[in-house]
Each structure stands twice: as structure tokens, then as C-alpha cells.
């Protein structure tokens, strides 16, 4: 017989799942887990706020594609991590959050640091557990991994009362680690219907979403696009699936997508949606999104069919084997006239040209990309800098790009970058942030320097909540209220205080050599870039508007 | 109910088999509230095996009903979802207990 406490059992089950890193913060209700963790080979990363721990786990999971784990104590520890779980839920990221809970006998008594995190996490997790006996851990831990990684991935929360962590259990055998269900393709009949529709279409567009990344199907998607000559758009979550320089790539669609891309979609007669969910930021006003198009919708999650847009041909199955079958069955096609039509749209709505003015956000992002190389992991916070990076960065591979898509959480960037650097210590990690976002999880500067991680944080400082101010300027008659951050701290002094090397690009007159040196120096580097506060993100579809009516910025003196 | 004839046409009865543990009702009811879908009747009792329960729901029949069914099917604790026509007897039998 094997004899373990609940805490030892939990840690060993995590090791058996292949977990090597856990981000978290200890507290009263999870101390037995931490005691057991101290005697394991798992590397613990001490976050400075539980939300940071949640985003570190997300960073690891987004880069590796495998479930990653974070720990938090009961009460405030648990409520702090909720935002990171909600974020993982909307972007379908497999995160497993283990919270300590007050002893079972005290649940419901308003005990110190007691909250009903089971109830609170219910709408923001794929599934959650409140463990009621030590025996249950043998089932619950593997089940959590299976659920988090099967089908459409998502976060799972396991709440473990302290007395169960301390209780001893004798058992005969270790359970098998929980693994993802086998990925199954869609039904053959539906695949044949899709092949027929694609071959008959005159103006098809392949519309790739985050599901293509989760399924590991980026390469197959590209082969399908090439074989059938399909112009391809990507959602924010899918950037990197096909190299944006690829002749078939139309880049990102939607609110801040390229104008030519949105116009091409408007003309399409067949939309092939793959692992995409017709999010409002991608579609604009739904009634005017691809109005002439029939829809083929490939998704592992059947509840996405017809949720927002009727699917003429729904294909329920894992994206990878389904695309594989489509690729086998589809014939080689050339769509010269459609491709030509799109080229005309591109001439009519040309993509911006990039220069080397490091005070210009898009130019800066391109320059950074050139210096740091195509293997870099690229993380952002949320706001204008995020959209500029999405528009300008030359993404070339899946899982290279980490951004908070569905929830749009400011504060995501730095801790997610830490997670990315933990998962891939040999790759450079660059995190673009803003002066609004960085302050939302700035305490994690301490974690990054403590871990000695190779993160280059580039802070674009425009003295404002830029995307808010942009909307106030455009849609609220220029009534700038509560969006001004002019009274900002000395960010470089703060970063140095946390043990980072710093560079203020303004102080060196936006000198490229200095930027290159900072990016090429190992360890955490904080690069502060004051930018012009009047820079806006264009093109832009007004919220609630149709994608083919984009503001281009021409009226505001900016193309 | 006074205009029950009119209501009957718009309603459907859903029968769910679910794991019997504390929290299942929260999962099911929470789904309805966060997806902004109305449920106007709920019955729940454990089955003989104690490990599973049956939940009967009376819901509005509308174009979003199949969306809700597929969302219900995604819940880990829900084993099956069956749709019955509005004239199913289960809620009628209970009607006697619901009087002012």
C-alpha cells in the first residue's frame, strides 16, 4: 500500500502529469500543499499577486499547448486569480488552478478567508471541483487534466479544503495520468459536402481562428489554402498560423484588421470558418458580415454552430484530422480572377509602409521584430500597443503570439511573458506593453528579475489609456475624461528598483544601436519608449458598425 | 395558468440526466442565467442508483433552444439531454402542488 497525505498526493499526481513549474502564492489554506511542494522536484515560481500566477500559467500553456498549473490560497488568493481564469476561459487555454479552502467542517461558516470559489469560478471555468474527501483526489486531479486538454481546451479549478490536504490516505496504485481524448475528424458526409462547396465557390475565404492553434493544425491549414488557392484571414487569436508575408495571407480581419481584408470578406461567396467563433470584434455588425457568403464551419465545439451565424455546412470534429481529410479530398484549384480582385482591393486600400522612426509605434514594432528574430515569442498587454503589434508584427509561426483576445485583460502581458520564458527558456521573449496596462501587474517585475528570465519589456508610453482616449475622441465628441495618465511614474526608476536593466529610448534620441544592444543583452531588459500621444489605431470599425465601413484616419490627418 | 394553451405552444420540456453531487444544480441553473435563457420550471430528484439525478426543465421553445441544448451537453456533469414535446405530463402532474 502507498501512504500519502492529500497534499503529497496532489503534488505527486501533478508530477506524474509532467508538471515541472507551478506559479503561485502560499497562504494559510494551502500551506500543506506548499510544504509538500518544497520536497518535490517541481520548480515553484513565486508570483507577487495571484492574478500574476494565473497569467504565468497561461503563458506556459499558450506556448506549450499543454495544461499548466497555478496555486492560490483561499479567500482573496482565490478571488485574485479569477480574472486570469476568465481570460483563459474566453481564449480556451488549458490552465489548472488549485486553490486552498478552509477545512470542510468550516465551509459555510463565514470562516477567515472563506469564499465560495466553487460558485464564483463556475461561469469562468470549463469545469470545477470542490474536493470533499482525500480519496477523491485520485480521480479529480487526472480528470482535471483530461477535461482541460480534451476537445475545446479550457481552465479547470480544483478547490481543496485544508483538512483534506492534511489527511492521510492508503491506496494500492497510482491512477493513470489524465490525457486529452483522441482527436476525431468530422463525419465523412459533411466533409464531402464541404469539398463540393469549396470547389464550386468563386470567391471563397478561409477564416482561421484560435482553434487552429489549439489543434496544432497550422501547417495543414496552410497546405489546404495553397492546394485550393484560398485567400486566408486570421483572427487575433490565430495570428502566426500562416506567415503574414505568405501570398495567400490577408492578415487579420475585424475591428482593426486591414481594410482590404474586410472588403474581401464582404465580397466572398463562401466563408470557411475553422476554429473561429464569429466574435463581434472580428465580424463587426453581424448582419453585414460576409452577406453573400455560405458558411462552412469546422469546430470541435458543436455549440458554436449557429450561435451567431448560421452554418450551411457544420463540420463537428477536431480541426487537425478534419482539415487533413479535406486536404486529401480537395482538388488543386487556381482562382486567378478572385485573387486578382483581391489584389485590386489591396491597391485601393494599401497596407501602411513601415520606416525606421523608433518614436513611431508601428515602425518600432517592425524594428524590434527585425532585431529579435523570427523565433521570438511575442506577448502584449491590452490597448493600442496590442493592436499595433497585431497589425505590424511579421508573425511567422503558431504559438509565437500571446495576447488576451476574448477578455482583453490589461495586466496580461508581463506575467504571461514570464510564463512564456519559463516554458521556453532558450527563446527570446518580447513583451509590448502600455503605460496603462503595465501598472495593472507591475509587481511581477520582481518575479521576472528573481527568476532571471530573458524578457524584453517594451513600454510604449503615450501618457494615456490610449484606446479609451481614441474612442472618446472619435465617438464622444472629444470629451477626454478619466483617460489621462500624464501624471505617470518614472517607469525606468521603478524597473531598476525591481532589479531590471533599463533603457529610455527618448534619452538616447531613439537611437537604433541602443535598442539593438538592449534587445541583445541577456536577462530582463526594460525599454521605455515615449510615443506621440496623438497616435491612433487605424483602420477602425466603430463598435457596432459594419466591417466594410472602416475609419481610415484620413479625416484626422493620418492615412 | 390562464393562458396555458398559448404557453404550451411556446414551451418545451428538457430531461437531463446528471451526476448527483452538490454543485450540479448551480452548473445547470448558472448556464441558463449567464446565457440569458429563460427557464420557468425545474424539478430534480436523485435516481435509484444515487449516483445520478434527473432534472426536468420547462423552457421557452425558441430558435435558441438548440443552442442551449448543446451548451448543456458541454457541462461535464450532464450525461444526456432529451427534448420532449410541451404536452409531456411531468409538470402537469406537479401542478396541484403549485396553488395560491
Amino acid at each position: 500500500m502507498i501512504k500519502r497525505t492529500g497534499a503529497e498526493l496532489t503534488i505527486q499526481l501533478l508530477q506524474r502529469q509532467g508538471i515541472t513549474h507551478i506559479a503561485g502564492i502560499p497562504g494559510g489554506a494551502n500551506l500543506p500543499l506548499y510544504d509538500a511542494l518544497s520536497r518535490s522536484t517541481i520548480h515553484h515560481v513565486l508570483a507577487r499577486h495571484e492574478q500574476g500566477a494565473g497569467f504565468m500559467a497561461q503563458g506556459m500553456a499558450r506556448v506549450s499547448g499543454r495544461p499548466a498549473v497555478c496555486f492560490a490560497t483561499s479567500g482573496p488568493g482565490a478571488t485574485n486569480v479569477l480574472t486570469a481564469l476568465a481570460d483563459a476561459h474566453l481564449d480556451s487555454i488549458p490552465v489548472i488552478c488549485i486553490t486552498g479552502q478552509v477545512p470542510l467542517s468550516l465551509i459555510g461558516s463565514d470562516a477567515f478567508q472563506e469564499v465560495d470559489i466553487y460558485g464564483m469560478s463556475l461561469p469562468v471555468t470549463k469545469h470545477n471541483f470542490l474536493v470533499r474527501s482525500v480519496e477523491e483526489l485520485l480521480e479529480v486531479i487526472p480528470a482535471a487534466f483530461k477535461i482541460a486538454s480534451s476537445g475545446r481546451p479550457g481552465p479547470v479549478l480544483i478547490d481543496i479544503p485544508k483538512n483534506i490536504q492534511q489527511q492521510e490516505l492508503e491506496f494500492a496504485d497510482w491512477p493513470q495520468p489524465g490525457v486529452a481524448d483522441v482527436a476525431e475528424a468530422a463525419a465523412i458526409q459533411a466533409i464531402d459536402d464541404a469539398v463540393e462547396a469549396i470547389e464550386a465557390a468563386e470567391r471563397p475565404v478561409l477564416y482561421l481562428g484560435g482553434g487552429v492553434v489549439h489543434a496544432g493544425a497550422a501547417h495543414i491549414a496552410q497546405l489546404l489554402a495553397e492546394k485550393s488557392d484560398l485567400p486566408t484571414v486570421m483572427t487575433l487569436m490565430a495570428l502566426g498560423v500562416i506567415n503574414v508575408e505568405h501570398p495567400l495571407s490577408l492578415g487579420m480581419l475585424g475591428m482593426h484588421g486591414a481594410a482590404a481584408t474586410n472588403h474581401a470578406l464582404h465580397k466572398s461567396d463562401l466563408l470557411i470558418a475553422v476554429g473561429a467563433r464569429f466574435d463581434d470584434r472580428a465580424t463587426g455588425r453581424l448582419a453585414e458580415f460576409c452577406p453573400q457568403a455560405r458558411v462552412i464551419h469546422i469546430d470541435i465545439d458543436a455549440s458554436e454552430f449557429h450561435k451567431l451565424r448560421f452554418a450551411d455546412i457544420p463540420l463537428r470534429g477536431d480541426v487537425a484530422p478534419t482539415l487533413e481529410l479535406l486536404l486529401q479530398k480537395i482538388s488543386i484549384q487556381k482562382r486567378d480572377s478572385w485573387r486578382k480582385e483581391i489584389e485590386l482591393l489591396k491597391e485601393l486600400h494599401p497596407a501602411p509602409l513601415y520606416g525606421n522612426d523608433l518614436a513611431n509605434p508601428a515602425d518600432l514594432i517592425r524594428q524590434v521584430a527585425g532585431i529579435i528574430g523570427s523565433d521570438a515569442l511575442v506577448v502584449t498587454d491590452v490597448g493600442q500597443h496590442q493592436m499595433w503589434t497585431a497589425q505590424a508584427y511579421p508573425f511567422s509561426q503558431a504559438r509565437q503570439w500571446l495576447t488576451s483576445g476574448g477578455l482583453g485583460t490589461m495586466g496580461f502581458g508581463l506575467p504571461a511573458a514570464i510564463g512564456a520564458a519559463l516554458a521556453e527558456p532558450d527563446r527570446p521573449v518580447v513583451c509590448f506593453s502600455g503605460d496603462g496596462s503595465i501598472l495593472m501587474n507591475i509587481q511581477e517585475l520582481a518575479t521576472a528579475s528573481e527568476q532571471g528570465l530573458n524578457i524584453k519589456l517594451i513600454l510604449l508610453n503615450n501618457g494615456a489609456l490610449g484606446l479609451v482616449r481614441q474612442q472618446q475622441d472619435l465617438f464622444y465628441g472629444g470629451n477626454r475624461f478619466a483617460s489621462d495618465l500624464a501624471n505617470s511614474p518614472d517607469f525606468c526608476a521603478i524597473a531598476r528598483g525591481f532589479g531590471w536593466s533599463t533603457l529610455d529610448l527618448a534619452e538616447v534620441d531613439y537611437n537604433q544601436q541602443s535598442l539593438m544592444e538592449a534587445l541583445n543583452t541577456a536577462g530582463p531588459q526594460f525599454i521605455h519608449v515615449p510615443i506621440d500621444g496623438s497616435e491612433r489605431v487605424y483602420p477602425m470599425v466603430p463598435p457596432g458598425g459594419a466591417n466594410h465601413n472602416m475609419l481610415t484616419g484620413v479625416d484626422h490627418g493620418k492615412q | 395558468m390562464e393562458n396555458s394553451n398559448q404557453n404550451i405552444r411556446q414551451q418545451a420540456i428538457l430531461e437531463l440526466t446528471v451526476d448527483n453531487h452538490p454543485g450540479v444544480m448551480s452548473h445547470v441553473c448558472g448556464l441558463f442565467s449567464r446565457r440569458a435563457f429563460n427557464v420557468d420550471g425545474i424539478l430534480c430528484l436523485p435516481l435509484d442508483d444515487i449516483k445520478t439525478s434527473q432534472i426536468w426543465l420547462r423552457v421557452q421553445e425558441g430558435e435558441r433552444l438548440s443552442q442551449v441544448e448543446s451548451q448543456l451537453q458541454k457541462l461535464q456533469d450532464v450525461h444526456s439531454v432529451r427534448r420532449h414535446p410541451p404536452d409531456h405530463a411531468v409538470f402537469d402532474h406537479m401542478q396541484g402542488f403549485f396553488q395560491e
Side-chain angles (χ1 to χ4, degrees):
Chain A
M1 292 297 267
I2 309 164
K3 197 165 158 184
R4 296 285 187 280
T5 65
E8 292 164 345
L9 186 57
T10 303
I11 300 298
Q12 266 187 280
L13 287 170
L14 294 176
Q15 278 183 303
R16 293 170 62 85
Q17 291 288 155
I19 293 300
T20 55
H21 294 73
I22 292 175
I25 306 184
N30 66 355
L31 272 174
L33 279 170
Y34 269 84
D35 195 52
L37 182 60
S38 75
R39 287 187 290 277
S40 80
T41 56
I42 295 176
H43 176 72
H44 180 255
V45 178
L46 179 65
R48 296 330 198 241
H49 185 291
E50 287 84 355
Q51 188 186 108
F55 283 133
M56 287 172 206
Q58 271 216 41
M60 292 188 265
R62 284 178 190 247
V63 168
S64 70
R66 293 189 302 274
V69 178
C70 60
F71 276 6
T73 191
S74 66
T79 54
N80 277 348
V81 85
L82 273 180
T83 299
L85 294 180
D87 188 281
H89 191 47
L90 277 175
D91 286 350
S92 304
I93 306 300
V95 166
I96 292 174
C97 175
I98 299 183
T99 47
Q101 180 56 281
V102 302
L104 215 46
S105 58
L106 288 180
I107 286 183
S109 73
D110 304 319
F112 178 65
Q113 294 193 330
E114 180 192 0
V115 297
D116 173 19
I117 199 62
Y118 179 85
M120 291 169 106
S121 62
L122 202 141
V124 296
T125 52
K126 186 174 176 188
H127 192 55
N128 56 5
F129 297 96
L130 169 55
V131 178
R132 287 168 189 277
S133 71
V134 65
E135 295 86 354
E136 268 180 47
L137 287 169
L138 291 169
E139 280 178 36
V140 164
I141 306 285
F145 278 82
K146 180 185 168 72
I147 292 166
S149 54
S150 291
R152 180 179 181 167
V156 176
L157 178 131
I158 308 171
D159 198 25
I160 312 180
K162 188 176 183 182
N163 65 305
I164 288 173
Q165 298 172 37
Q166 292 165 320
Q167 202 178 331
E168 278 200 335
L169 176 71
E170 280 192 42
F171 57 101
D173 291 306
W174 289 100
Q176 287 299 310
V179 293
D181 294 338
V182 176
E184 287 182 31
I188 287 295
Q189 182 57 52
I191 288 173
D192 290 339
D193 292 348
V195 168
E196 197 180 317
I198 294 169
E199 288 179 351
E202 287 176 7
R203 296 183 306 281
V205 174
L206 186 60
Y207 157 42
L208 303 177
V212 180
V213 178
H214 301 319
H219 184 59
I220 313 169
Q222 180 172 333
L223 292 178
L224 179 71
E226 287 165 352
K227 191 171 178 188
S228 186
D229 207 17
L230 300 168
T232 302
V233 302
M234 287 169 273
T235 67
L236 181 72
M237 293 301 297
L239 290 175
V241 164
I242 290 184
N243 192 322
V244 288
E245 316 285 345
H246 191 286
L248 283 165
S249 167
L250 297 177
M252 184 171 73
L253 80 161
M255 182 177 271
H256 295 296
T261 305
N262 283 337
H263 285 292
L265 281 160
H266 197 69
K267 289 179 169 234
S268 74
D269 66 350
L270 178 71
L271 188 64
I272 308 154
V274 188
R277 61 181 175 86
F278 294 85
D279 176 76
D280 55 86
R281 286 297 186 270
T283 65
R285 188 186 302 150
L286 208 52
E288 292 178 53
F289 180 64
C290 305
Q292 306 153 44
R294 296 181 77 213
V295 173
I296 296 173
H297 195 172
I298 305 175
D299 210 295
I300 189 74
D301 179 355
S303 67
E304 288 302 337
F305 301 139
H306 326 302
K307 185 181 82 175
L308 291 162
R309 173 72 183 248
F310 178 76
D312 299 273
I313 308 177
L315 276 74
R316 201 238 156 147
D318 189 279
V319 163
T322 303
L323 286 182
E324 192 88 62
L325 283 173
L326 270 177
L327 180 64
Q328 281 170 23
K329 293 189 169 226
I330 208 125
S331 39
I332 296 172
Q333 253 178 306
K334 281 283 158 230
R335 303 180 192 272
D336 293 336
S337 70
W338 177 220
R339 293 283 301 278
K340 206 166 175 183
E341 211 175 322
I342 288 174
E343 286 312 310
L344 287 175
L345 285 172
K346 285 182 176 173
E347 279 168 32
L348 209 59
H349 309 277
L353 297 170
Y354 299 108
N356 51 12
D357 171 9
L358 295 184
N360 173 286
D363 287 5
L364 172 79
I365 289 161
R366 297 286 288 199
Q367 293 288 320
V368 168
I371 296 166
I372 206 155
S374 60
D375 198 36
L377 297 164
V378 185
V379 190
T380 70
D381 257 305
V382 168
Q384 287 183 313
H385 69 273
Q386 177 191 30
M387 290 300 117
W388 286 321
T389 310
Q391 291 174 336
Y393 204 96
F395 298 106
S396 57
Q397 43 181 310
R399 297 202 181 279
Q400 173 184 29
W401 162 241
L402 290 75
T403 201
S404 170
L407 197 65
T409 313
M410 294 169 71
F412 171 92
L414 174 57
I418 293 172
L422 290 166
E424 293 272 3
D426 297 329
R427 288 171 75 174
V429 177
V430 59
C431 173
F432 293 97
S433 187
D435 50 322
S437 284
I438 191 67
L439 285 171
M440 294 212 182
N441 268 322
I442 196 160
Q443 75 286 344
E444 303 307 337
L445 287 173
T447 310
S449 60
E450 184 170 85
Q451 300 289 328
L453 297 171
N454 194 22
I455 297 173
K456 315 301 165 207
L457 196 151
I458 298 175
L459 182 73
L460 279 66
N461 187 347
N462 60 0
L465 296 167
L467 215 43
V468 171
R469 188 168 66 185
Q470 173 168 341
Q471 292 215 25
Q472 289 175 335
D473 285 352
L474 293 175
F475 311 119
Y476 294 85
N479 182 24
R480 294 181 171 185
F481 180 68
S483 55
D484 190 62
L485 296 175
N487 186 22
S488 73
D490 180 341
F491 283 107
C492 285
I494 288 178
R496 278 194 299 276
F498 279 109
W500 286 56
S501 303
T502 61
L503 166 68
D504 191 316
L505 217 49
E507 279 176 12
V508 296
D509 202 19
Y510 298 91
N511 174 281
Q512 194 179 21
Q513 188 61 33
S514 307
L515 176 67
M516 207 180 294
E517 279 166 22
L519 289 174
N520 287 329
T521 306
Q525 301 285 330
F526 189 98
I527 301 165
H528 181 243
V529 190
I531 60 165
D532 181 351
S534 65
E535 288 286 347
R536 291 191 179 135
V537 183
Y538 285 119
M540 178 179 196
V541 178
N547 274 359
H548 58 98
N549 294 325
M550 303 190 84
L551 304 178
T552 58
V554 174
D555 301 341
H556 305 274
K558 183 111 174 83
Q559 177 76 48
Chain B
M1 280 191 275
E2 283 182 37
N3 49 2
S4 59
N5 277 343
Q6 197 192 339
N7 278 346
I8 275 175
R9 250 181 283 130
Q10 298 167 343
Q11 283 171 339
I13 309 286
L14 298 181
E15 177 194 355
L16 278 57
T17 308
V18 301
D19 283 327
N20 174 21
H21 73 76
V24 170
M25 287 297 280
S26 300
H27 272 282
V28 172
C29 296
L31 178 73
F32 277 83
S33 63
R34 76 173 175 277
R35 296 272 172 194
F37 198 83
N38 192 40
V39 53
D40 66 12
I42 302 179
L43 296 170
C44 178
L45 281 175
L47 293 174
D48 287 343
D49 66 1
I50 306 296
K51 288 187 150 184
T52 51
S53 296
Q54 208 159 43
I55 299 178
W56 291 90
L57 302 168
R58 190 166 69 188
V59 298
Q60 300 298 312
E61 168 104 68
E63 57 181 51
R64 291 181 59 227
L65 183 55
S66 47
Q67 162 68 199
V68 165
E69 282 178 285
S70 56
Q71 294 288 357
L72 282 168
Q73 265 152 2
K74 274 166 66 179
L75 294 177
Q76 303 292 326
D77 291 324
V78 173
H79 296 289
S80 67
V81 180
R82 285 178 64 198
R83 193 196 295 199
H84 295 280
D87 56 2
H88 192 279
V90 59
F91 282 94
D92 292 344
H93 284 171
M94 298 299 295
Q95 202 65 55
F97 295 98
F98 294 85
Q99 276 160 4
E100 283 177 38

